[in-house]
Amino acid sequence: MPITNYLFRPVLPGRPLRPVLQVKYLHPANGHHQSAWALIDTGADRCSLPGTYAELLGYILEDGEPINVKGIGGTVESYKHAVRIKIDGYITDERTVFFTPGLQIPVLGVDSFLKEFLLTIDYPKQLFSLKFSKPTDPEDNPHSWPPP
């Protein structure tokens, strides 16, 4: 499922081009889905979706566990729900995501998504590549390597 040399795109009108990926969010129980462009954000721990997506996917926003999420813009109240994320032929298992009122674009964060992929970003050329990668050999996992 490699995505190679994927072009940066505008996130919002009048803003710089960014690494965004077309994804489909799936409600694991009812089959509802929503396609969207999502920002790849290596500074975000979790995936966040605009609060309006909760209803589109068949959730009642406030039925999710409320949590205060801290970000560069301050602390905002969000609600936890589970979704599956589909990109090309790859579908994740259930992931906890935060539905955040006022958020304008979905965010793909590290712990709940990006940590399973090799991500290469070429800012000068405004390209990125994403490849599914779960090491099977401990020698392939840099976290198991001894310190330098």
Side-chain angles (χ1 to χ4, degrees):
M1 186 246 44
I3 293 174
T4 56
N5 296 330
Y6 209 74
L7 291 171
F8 282 25
R9 295 180 159 272
V11 175
L12 297 169
R15 303 291 298 267
L17 300 178
R18 298 281 188 239
V20 293
L21 184 62
Q22 191 168 27
V23 301
K24 184 182 282 188
Y25 296 99
L26 308 160
H27 188 302
N30 68 16
H32 291 162
H33 56 86
Q34 178 64 37
S35 295
W37 288 96
L39 176 66
I40 293 176
D41 187 348
T42 60
D45 292 331
R46 299 277 184 169
C47 295
S48 295
L49 285 87
T52 55
Y53 282 41
E55 185 177 343
L56 295 171
L57 290 169
Y59 290 106
I60 297 171
L61 180 67
E62 293 83 7
D63 282 355
E65 179 185 342
I67 185 165
N68 287 323
V69 176
K70 295 178 184 175
I72 199 160
T75 301
V76 295
E77 186 169 62
S78 297
Y79 299 88
K80 287 184 180 182
H81 289 280
V83 300
R84 296 179 75 192
I85 301 169
K86 180 178 181 180
I87 56 172
D88 289 341
Y90 176 79
I91 302 176
T92 68
D93 53 2
E94 286 186 24
R95 301 295 161 95
T96 297
V97 297
F98 299 125
F99 287 90
T100 306
L103 185 66
Q104 295 181 315
I105 184 169
V107 173
L108 295 171
V110 176
D111 290 341
S112 54
F113 186 76
L114 291 173
K115 71 180 180 181
E116 295 180 11
F117 296 88
L118 294 174
L119 171 64
T120 305
I121 299 178
D122 184 338
Y123 278 101
K125 292 182 181 175
Q126 297 186 323
L127 298 171
F128 71 94
S129 298
L130 191 71
K131 180 180 175 190
F132 182 69
S133 175
K134 275 198 170 180
T136 54
D137 183 337
E139 290 185 18
D140 292 338
N141 184 351
H143 297 290
S144 68
W145 298 349

